[in-house]
Amino acid sequence: MTNSDTILIIDDEVQIRRLLEITLSANGYKISEASTGKEGLVHAATTHPVLIILDLGLPDADGIEILKKLREWYLKPILILSVRSSEDDIVKALDNGANDYLTKPFRTGELLARIRVAIRQSLDASDDPCLTFGSLTIDLANHVVKKNDELVKLTSTEFSLLALLAKNEGRVLTHHFILKEVWGMGYMEQTQYLRVFMAQLRKKIEDNPAKPRLLNTESGIGYRFGA
Amino acid sequence: MESADNRPDPDELLATIIKDEEKSKRGKLKIFFGMCAGVGKTYTMLQAAKVEKAKGCDIIIGFVETHNRKETASLVEGFELIQRKKYQYKSTQVQEMDLDAIIARKPQIVLVDELAHTNAPDSRHTKRYQDVLEILENGINVYTTVNVQHLESRSETVAQITGIIVRETLPDEIFENADEVELVDLSPDELLQRLSEGKVYTPERSREAILNFFRKGNITALREMALRIVADRVDKQLHDYMQEKHIRGPWKSGSHLLVAIDYKIQSTRLLRWAKNLSYSMGANIQAIYVETSHQLTSKEHDQLNKNINLAKQLGIKVRIVTNYDVVSAIVDFAQKENATHIIVGKPRVRNLFAMLRLGSFVNKLIRYSGNIDVYILGADNQAKGRYREKVFVPSFTSNLREYLTVILLVILSSISCYLVRDFVGYQIVSFGLLFLVSILAVFFGPGPILLAAASSALIWDYFFIPPQFTLHIDKPEDVLMLIMFFFIAMLNGILTSRVRRQEQKIRIREERTQALYQLTKELNTASGINEVSRMAIKYVQKYFNLDSAIILKTDLNQLDNIVQDGTSIQVLENDFSVANWVFKNSTMAGKYTDTLPSGNFTFYPLSGNSGNIGVIVVELHHIFTQGEEQFWEAFLSQISGKYEREFLRNAAKETYVLSESEKLYKTLFNSISHELRIPVATILGASDTLLSQNYPEETRQKLYTEISIASIRLNRLIENLLNMSRLESGHITPKPDWCDVHDLANEVAEALQVELKPFKLSTIIPTDMPLVMVDFGLVEQVMHNLILNATQYAPAGSRIRLKIFYDNSFLNIQVMDRGPGFSPSELNFVFDKFYRGKDSKAGGTGLGLSIVKGFVVAQAGTITAENRENGGAKFIIKIPVKIADLNNQKKTEAS
């Protein structure tokens, strides 16, 4: 695979940077490194990275602050890679514009997959209203969902939910975000709706609802469509 | 035998050691002692200071009065002076020594003139010697000056010699405990010479002073007194020294004086005399006051208080006993305390009756005292002139109402007697009236009884004895009967009332004892410092009728800046500083004391065996009477004791926690270090191998796998440790949210894919399972750990069951395996930290299950472990949960 895209790593740990550099270079990415938040902001502006990997615990600033500053102008994916594993931290980062997160220690395979998904999403501006995931097709324009070429009957809320998740394939969506998008601002705390509809949706589109392949739970945070 | 006899007495030895220790911590007190003003004490003191200063000693002047004497003034130069503190007293400004400045400056030695000086009213202490004691407490040495007439025990004698009553006195104790006393002596002629030259007082004051005080006779007497005191002191030092070095001397050791005092002014002389005697004999001394049925007038009361205070100032302990028989009380006490000498004053002979009583008192004392020496001190003529004792009238203190009631009762019963007079005869009536008087005696004081006796005698005579309605009596036997009637009525009445009063006193004592007993009992049931405080304040209110506040020490051994709960008075900033002083100096202060008497409250230290515990603040309405004070002290010691026990218990608890955590630390160390090393060793070994040689692809793959497995193991350990520390530090706050338990089960099964491969996992969830409100993360971790635990014990290929259901507002989670289960003895320990099952495989820290328990408990749930019927372990978790309203959800779905 040849890939000349630059990825910016903002992390103060040399060993993590080295590991990322080896892994990502081997996968054809160019690497730009920064060990502090300030340096990271400068590099982000100068090296035009296609994706930024950001650590939350930086020596000079809180990662969330850096994230907010980046998001003022940087539109491409930002992936959080942090030892902070508390759900609150993760949700906060996602709500502040991070596309995805991974906690340290992490599997490099998983990291690469997340990077690929994030980059693809950011590039994929296709207006193709038909999304296909294995045996499942979703026709966004006509509100039609088919599984193994059979029509799946969905209520309008179920469809909205599925559509939102499918459009953000591979990306974690927080409970709040989903509730806001599907039900509206007033329902942001009504997580029980989300649970019920999710369970129903799984029964309708998953091969084995007990082992979901498409509608994955991110415990305490939200849901992720696909891998 | 002889060597055994001369062995040092252990008690004496201990006393010496304690004395030494106490002294070494405190500053040393050096007194420059003279017979009177003008002998050059201040001068000598300054010269001595100069010598010390030349040696490089840090020595300053705290307060020196030069009296405008040129020689002295020139010596003051060159010393650092502590600025005097100014007090406004009425219209004049008074300058006093600045105590706090001296303590803050903390020199090695400070010079303080005139130890017996009385401070200005707003000063912290009434007397300067109290200031000096505080300075000494702070480890600063003091040089000071004292004149012989200022010694408490000599002031009376000085007054006798010179005719001048000395007001500024110094407790003998201070003088006796001084580390060094230097006599500054001058012959009378030389002194008079100096006086006439105007070297002592400035000329205008000199003439008057000389006339009043400095007569040669006076000076000689004072000089003799001063020399004798110093000689006595040397004697005592020799005695101490010999005792210290175990040299047996010819002295009569172990003398113990008991001085009996009462509520008369004569007792002051008795006390001083006894003190002098004890001093020269090197004997112990204590005083006794016998509380009889005699009711004290307020004047007598005051004098008694004065006497007892004087005794305290002289360093004599006073014991108060209640007994109607003074002699047997004194003798009993003397025998119990092993007194060798009893000292009493000779009772004043006022009249024949008193003489008879004197005889009986002295004779009785001598008869009963056995081998105890009895000293009887004569009446003091000087004192007699100045203080005429008021003739004591048996307390007619009963109020008018009592007299009226008595009269009314006598009249009423006389009328009823009059009605039955014809049936019983006039002689029987006398018994009726006698009976009445006896009964009245139980309820009324001697005054009304006397009245009742007299009036009933008169009534009997007038209305009953023939001829009726005259006071004239025909028959001589009736006259005799009347006289007998009167005396019997009176004696009966007075004796009864005396017994009653005695009883009353005893009853008060009993009540107090009962109260103390009650307090002790209740205090024992109290647990926790707060409860003790509340109880103490309640008791102060109940038994002393006083409002109070308690301030305790903190862990840092300083007085806290907040009062304990239950306080009934407002303690202000100022009061706290007084309380602090009391705490530091272990002395009472505030209203009715010599220290800071201007406040509203009185402060008492609460002292335990190992230092002070706190301070109790009370709003006193009057000075405690002797009885009350004793009760109060007993009360305080009970409270302090309880507080001390509470503090000790807290300390013990802390120590226990500490030792537990030490144990924990060790276990942690042993188990964790092992658990950490194994994966690290694997990673190191495998990566080394990979780096050093080119192995075939297959081997390399295996090594990579090992590294990966070891990393996962390490990571799991870290997760467990982090969770444990979150639990330990109490940082687990569940964040419940709606949760689909299917989701939970899926997540766990997904995460444990690898570990579950050799097993069959069956998840059983009823179809109508509602959404439950739990912390997803915590429950996930709980299930994760339990299932992981099952995979470690159960044989490969066996089935692991995960059963989740909702029952009666509880979420039930059960995890079952077919492993070895638990031995009955370990069922109680499985959730303990670092506990590992007997048959556990290598690896594992014993943290998993204790984390499970912690997480379940954090959500108010319970967890139990048991053995399954056909073998295997079963964990049962119950967590109280809310469930989602299904109807509501259906509605949403429809919309």
Side-chain angles (χ1 to χ4, degrees):
Chain A
M1 185 192 279
T2 52
N3 201 330
S4 57
D5 294 333
T6 304
I7 290 178
L8 170 61
I9 304 165
I10 309 177
D11 197 317
D12 60 326
E13 283 289 341
V14 186
Q15 207 165 5
I16 295 288
R17 287 208 306 273
R18 212 152 51 210
L19 173 69
L20 289 176
E21 208 241 292
I22 294 165
T23 314
L24 296 178
S25 303
N27 283 277
Y29 295 104
K30 275 198 260 171
I31 302 300
S32 167
E33 289 177 34
S35 60
T36 64
K38 224 179 256 170
E39 207 185 322
L41 287 171
V42 175
H43 281 313
T46 53
T47 59
H48 307 289
V50 289
L51 181 140
I52 296 175
I53 296 176
L54 175 66
D55 182 14
L56 288 182
L58 291 168
D60 59 335
D62 185 10
I64 295 284
E65 294 307 313
I66 301 296
L67 175 63
K68 283 182 188 164
K69 282 206 180 115
L70 282 171
R71 270 293 171 244
E72 284 167 16
W73 57 272
Y74 183 80
L75 301 174
K76 290 184 174 143
I78 298 176
L79 200 149
I80 303 294
L81 187 64
S82 174
V83 283
R84 290 200 206 164
S85 59
S86 98
E87 289 144 14
D88 286 347
D89 286 332
I90 293 161
V91 170
K92 201 169 163 195
L94 292 173
D95 283 344
N96 276 295
N99 293 58
D100 208 341
Y101 81 94
L102 266 179
T103 50
K104 295 172 191 170
F106 57 92
R107 297 258 170 185
T108 42
E110 177 140 29
L111 175 73
L112 285 169
R114 299 284 179 88
I115 289 173
R116 272 195 293 272
V117 166
I119 292 178
R120 192 178 64 222
Q121 269 187 357
S122 71
L123 297 175
D124 194 13
S126 75
D127 291 328
D128 188 358
C130 234
L131 303 173
T132 309
F133 306 94
S135 59
L136 186 77
T137 45
I138 306 169
D139 186 344
L140 295 170
N142 300 316
H143 287 212
V144 175
V145 177
K146 280 183 182 166
K147 196 184 170 194
N148 297 328
D149 285 330
E150 280 173 38
L151 197 69
V152 183
K153 276 189 182 171
L154 295 178
T155 64
S156 65
T157 314
E158 281 169 356
F159 182 81
S160 306
L161 180 60
L162 179 64
L164 177 71
L165 287 163
K167 278 190 279 185
N168 290 289
E169 186 209 349
R171 187 174 168 187
V172 197
L173 302 180
T174 63
H175 297 140
H176 280 188
F177 179 77
I178 300 172
L179 283 163
K180 192 178 77 183
E181 292 293 311
V182 178
W183 279 270
M185 286 297 270
Y187 290 84
M188 276 170 74
E189 303 300 325
Q190 308 295 329
T191 46
Q192 76 268 35
Y193 297 163
L194 188 52
R195 307 277 182 219
V196 173
F197 279 88
M198 212 50 154
Q200 285 164 359
L201 208 51
R202 274 186 185 141
K203 275 180 204 150
K204 290 183 183 175
I205 65 166
E206 291 282 3
D207 295 330
N208 178 4
K211 281 188 179 166
R213 289 280 155 259
L214 293 172
L215 300 167
N216 295 307
T217 303
E218 292 285 325
S219 51
I221 295 156
Y223 295 95
R224 183 201 299 275
F225 194 85
Chain B
M1 279 308 277
E2 232 183 62
S3 66
D5 269 346
N6 290 335
R7 227 175 22 196
D9 176 352
D11 285 340
E12 281 169 18
L13 205 63
L14 195 66
T16 323
I17 289 167
I18 289 169
K19 222 164 147 188
D20 276 357
E21 268 182 0
E22 253 175 29
K23 278 193 175 168
S24 67
K25 264 181 278 162
R26 298 184 44 174
K28 289 202 178 346
L29 178 65
K30 180 170 183 174
I31 294 177
F32 293 84
F33 187 61
M35 56 186 171
C36 62
V39 293
K41 295 180 303 297
T42 308
Y43 185 83
T44 316
M45 175 171 81
L46 283 165
Q47 271 186 326
K50 207 159 195 177
V51 172
E52 287 298 316
K53 197 178 169 73
K55 286 188 207 156
C57 183
D58 182 14
I59 186 161
I60 63 163
I61 291 179
F63 192 101
V64 164
E65 195 62 68
T66 59
H67 295 293
N68 292 334
R69 294 170 199 160
K70 256 186 267 162
E71 297 157 6
T72 316
S74 70
L75 267 177
V76 169
E77 280 162 28
F79 282 106
E80 183 183 337
L81 275 165
I82 294 287
Q83 281 303 313
R84 295 178 186 184
K85 214 171 170 178
K86 294 185 178 68
Y87 289 92
Q88 195 68 37
Y89 180 54
K90 289 182 183 160
S91 59
T92 53
Q93 209 178 47
V94 193
Q95 293 193 337
E96 292 292 354
M97 181 172 79
D98 192 340
L99 174 59
D100 292 321
I102 293 171
I103 291 170
R105 167 68 176 73
K106 209 170 189 340
Q108 276 172 288
I109 303 175
V110 62
L111 307 186
V112 180
D113 218 351
E114 296 288 345
L115 190 58
H117 172 79
T118 304
N119 285 334
D122 281 339
S123 317
R124 183 183 304 160
H125 302 294
T126 335
K127 294 286 194 171
R128 182 171 291 159
Y129 73 81
Q130 292 171 310
D131 293 345
V132 166
L133 285 179
E134 197 173 334
I135 295 175
L136 292 171
E137 280 305 325
N138 281 281
I140 302 167
N141 302 325
V142 178
Y143 281 9
T144 189
T145 63
V146 173
N147 283 333
V148 68
Q149 77 256 31
H150 292 141
L151 284 182
E152 182 68 56
S153 62
R154 311 296 156 133
S155 63
E156 184 125 336
T157 325
V158 172
Q160 283 171 6
I161 296 169
T162 63
I164 292 171
I165 295 169
V166 183
R167 303 215 181 277
E168 306 203 320
T169 58
L170 177 75
D172 286 43
E173 219 180 346
I174 310 289
F175 183 82
E176 281 165 27
N177 288 335
D179 299 86
E180 211 176 319
V181 172
E182 189 172 328
L183 179 71
V184 183
D185 191 34
L186 203 65
S187 77
D189 288 333
E190 273 175 295
L191 179 61
L192 287 172
Q193 173 75 22
R194 287 188 58 186
L195 275 164
S196 63
E197 286 168 8
K199 280 182 177 167
V200 178
Y201 289 118
T202 42
E204 63 272 22
R205 288 185 62 191
S206 178
R207 174 176 294 273
E208 197 192 346
I210 290 171
L211 284 177
N212 284 339
F213 193 82
F214 294 100
R215 279 174 293 165
K216 196 170 177 182
N218 277 358
I219 297 173
T220 311
L222 288 174
R223 187 180 183 208
E224 190 206 332
M225 200 186 292
L227 291 172
R228 188 184 272 177
I229 287 169
V230 176
D232 275 350
R233 197 184 140 84
V234 172
D235 216 35
K236 191 160 182 277
Q237 276 170 341
L238 181 70
H239 174 105
D240 282 353
Y241 174 81
M242 289 174 93
Q243 208 150 349
E244 223 168 87
K245 306 285 175 202
H246 337 300
I247 307 165
R248 290 272 173 198
W251 58 80
K252 189 178 173 190
S253 66
S255 290
H256 186 150
L257 309 188
L258 178 68
V259 48
I261 60 167
D262 61 6
Y263 43 82
K264 297 193 190 103
I265 184 100
Q266 282 81 359
S267 292
T268 57
R269 192 170 157 265
L270 198 62
L271 281 166
R272 291 203 172 94
W273 190 86
K275 179 67 192 176
N276 286 347
L277 182 69
S278 81
Y279 195 70
S280 42
M281 282 172 72
N284 284 331
I285 180 163
Q286 58 180 315
I288 180 173
Y289 168 67
V290 184
E291 209 177 39
T292 61
S293 58
H294 174 78
Q295 209 157 29
L296 296 180
T297 63
S298 68
K299 242 199 188 134
E300 286 173 337
H301 203 114
D302 285 353
Q303 186 58 47
L304 176 64
N305 277 340
K306 274 186 202 155
N307 293 348
I308 287 170
N309 280 336
L310 174 70
K312 278 184 189 160
Q313 282 212 325
L314 290 171
I316 303 172
K317 210 165 86 184
V318 183
R319 294 286 294 269
I320 297 166
V321 294
T322 306
N323 200 327
Y324 63 93
D325 185 352
V326 180
V327 171
S328 76
I330 294 174
V331 172
D332 282 353
F333 188 76
Q335 278 166 349
K336 207 169 70 196
E337 297 282 309
N338 289 325
T340 52
H341 301 71
I342 295 173
I343 301 160
V344 294
K346 192 194 278 180
R348 294 280 304 282
V349 180
R350 239 180 349 254
N351 46 37
L352 189 73
F353 186 55
M355 203 149 90
L356 286 173
R357 275 211 352 221
L358 163 70
S360 79
F361 174 75
V362 172
N363 285 338
K364 239 170 116 184
L365 188 60
I366 289 168
R367 199 162 60 236
Y368 290 121
S369 55
N371 60 351
I372 303 173
D373 300 349
V374 177
Y375 285 72
I376 297 159
L377 211 62
D380 167 19
N381 290 325
Q382 285 256 329
K384 193 169 140 195
R386 265 186 289 143
Y387 316 95
R388 253 200 97 77
E389 193 195 348
K390 257 177 68 186
V391 176
F392 171 70
V393 185
S395 52
F396 285 111
T397 46
S398 315
N399 58 24
L400 194 63
R401 227 166 81 182
E402 288 192 2
Y403 288 99
L404 286 176
T405 319
V406 165
I407 284 287
L408 198 72
L409 285 170
V410 169
I411 291 171
L412 277 176
S413 33
S414 304
I415 291 171
S416 51
C417 285
Y418 192 75
L419 295 176
V420 296
R421 150 191 67 110
D422 292 339
F423 307 102
V424 295
Y426 71 91
Q427 273 147 336
I428 295 298
V429 169
S430 74
F431 286 105
L433 291 175
L434 210 53
F435 179 62
L436 174 73
V437 175
S438 314
I439 295 214
L440 289 179
V442 179
F443 302 100
F444 298 98
I449 294 310
L450 212 62
L451 181 69
S455 60
S456 55
L458 276 177
I459 287 173
W460 187 47
D461 181 6
Y462 192 81
F463 291 99
F464 295 94
I465 300 177
Q468 273 177 300
F469 308 114
T470 61
L471 287 178
H472 177 76
I473 300 168
D474 278 345
K475 290 185 239 169
E477 62 260 36
D478 282 346
V479 177
L480 200 64
M481 274 244 333
L482 180 66
I483 293 169
M484 272 164 57
F485 174 88
F486 180 70
F487 273 105
I488 290 172
M490 204 176 70
L491 275 179
N492 194 351
I494 287 177
L495 283 178
T496 313
S497 85
R498 181 188 277 189
V499 168
R500 187 173 61 95
R501 242 177 307 148
Q502 192 77 30
E503 250 176 14
Q504 239 170 12
K505 268 188 193 165
I506 289 169
R507 203 173 60 232
I508 290 175
R509 295 220 146 195
E510 245 169 32
E511 264 170 23
R512 284 173 182 166
T513 316
Q514 191 64 32
L516 270 184
Y517 171 69
Q518 197 67 25
L519 175 74
T520 318
K521 219 169 70 178
E522 275 197 42
L523 276 180
N524 275 336
T525 62
S527 70
I529 283 165
N530 283 335
E531 206 177 324
V532 177
S533 301
R534 267 196 295 276
M535 201 167 281
I537 290 164
K538 194 183 88 190
Y539 266 83
V540 172
Q541 180 63 251
K542 188 170 165 190
Y543 289 105
F544 298 93
N545 201 18
L546 292 174
D547 289 327
S548 60
I550 291 172
I551 310 169
L552 293 179
K553 67 172 184 181
T554 61
D555 296 340
L556 303 169
N557 241 349
Q558 281 166 336
L559 203 62
D560 209 346
N561 50 10
I562 45 163
V563 294
Q564 289 288 301
D565 288 355
T567 295
S568 45
I569 50 178
Q570 186 84 22
V571 181
L572 301 172
E573 189 80 29
N574 254 358
D575 302 320
F576 273 109
S577 62
V578 182
N580 249 315
W581 186 88
V582 168
F583 181 74
K584 264 191 218 143
N585 294 277
S586 316
T587 325
M588 59 183 281
K591 203 175 176 183
Y592 301 126
T593 69
D594 288 343
T595 306
L596 297 164
S598 53
N600 291 327
F601 304 133
T602 312
F603 301 75
Y604 292 87
L606 294 170
S607 29
N609 292 326
S610 51
N612 284 340
I613 288 153
V615 172
I616 184 163
V617 188
V618 289
E619 193 169 10
L620 282 185
H621 308 300
H622 62 91
I623 308 183
F624 280 135
T625 63
Q626 284 307 321
E628 277 174 339
E629 181 146 4
Q630 275 196 331
F631 179 39
W632 176 247
E633 271 161 18
F635 177 82
L636 287 192
S637 85
Q638 282 293 338
I639 302 265
S640 309
K642 179 63 185 177
Y643 272 127
E644 189 159 52
R645 285 197 294 281
E646 284 295 325
F647 275 119
L648 284 177
R649 216 173 60 154
N650 284 355
K653 224 189 268 171
E654 254 162 52
T655 326
Y656 174 76
V657 170
L658 212 70
S659 74
E660 271 293 289
S661 78
E662 225 162 77
K663 208 165 88 189
L664 201 72
Y665 175 77
K666 264 187 203 150
T667 327
L668 190 85
F669 214 79
N670 293 339
S671 102
I672 303 296
S673 61
H674 173 261
E675 270 300 290
L676 277 169
R677 279 209 181 107
I678 300 306
V680 170
T682 313
I683 293 169
L684 262 181
S687 48
D688 261 1
T689 315
L690 283 168
L691 285 172
S692 59
Q693 283 189 33
N694 218 345
Y695 285 97
E697 181 63 27
E698 195 189 343
T699 316
R700 278 163 54 191
Q701 279 303 328
K702 276 183 189 159
L703 289 173
Y704 290 142
T705 316
E706 280 313 313
I707 292 174
S708 178
I709 290 171
S711 314
I712 291 169
R713 190 167 158 188
L714 258 183
N715 192 38
R716 184 172 294 148
L717 175 66
I718 290 164
E719 284 295 319
N720 274 342
L721 284 174
L722 286 178
N723 280 332
M724 202 68 230
S725 76
R726 274 165 74 204
L727 269 174
E728 298 271 287
S729 60
H731 281 167
I732 298 278
T733 36
K735 282 184 238 84
D737 194 358
W738 293 110
C739 168
D740 182 352
V741 292
H742 294 90
D743 249 11
L744 264 175
N746 295 342
E747 279 295 296
V748 175
E750 186 80 17
L752 289 171
Q753 251 177 14
V754 181
E755 288 82 357
L756 279 169
K757 224 164 222 161
F759 298 93
K760 284 172 261 173
L761 175 74
S762 9
T763 308
I764 305 142
I765 302 171
T767 45
D768 60 347
M769 183 70 200
L771 288 183
V772 290
M773 195 71 149
V774 289
D775 185 310
F776 192 99
L778 292 186
V779 177
E780 184 186 359
Q781 191 69 48
V782 164
M783 283 161 53
H784 183 279
N785 281 12
L786 285 178
I787 291 173
L788 183 66
N789 185 67
T791 63
Q792 279 166 359
Y793 291 97
S798 66
R799 187 177 289 279
I800 295 171
R801 277 172 199 276
L802 171 64
K803 197 171 166 186
I804 307 176
F805 57 96
Y806 174 80
D807 178 36
N808 200 12
S809 70
F810 278 93
L811 170 67
N812 288 253
I813 302 171
Q814 299 180 351
V815 177
M816 294 158 268
D817 65 40
R818 288 292 177 198
F822 312 101
S823 76
S825 61
E826 66 176 358
L827 266 175
N828 291 329
F829 307 112
V830 289
F831 298 111
D832 283 2
K833 232 176 303 174
F834 304 117
Y835 179 82
R836 306 224 40 228
K838 289 199 185 74
D839 314 314
S840 3
K841 291 180 209 166
T845 50
L847 278 176
L849 287 185
S850 65
I851 290 170
V852 166
K853 175 148 191 187
F855 281 5
V856 170
V857 170
Q859 299 181 82
T862 56
I863 179 164
T864 48
E866 58 183 54
N867 285 317
R868 295 175 73 188
E869 259 176 42
N870 297 321
K874 181 179 184 181
F875 290 95
I876 303 163
I877 294 167
K878 283 172 186 261
I879 300 171
V881 286
K882 278 201 292 188
I883 52 166
D885 187 348
L886 288 172
N887 289 334
N888 199 5
Q889 285 153 21
K890 293 231 170 79
K891 231 183 274 166
T892 336
E893 191 182 354
S895 66

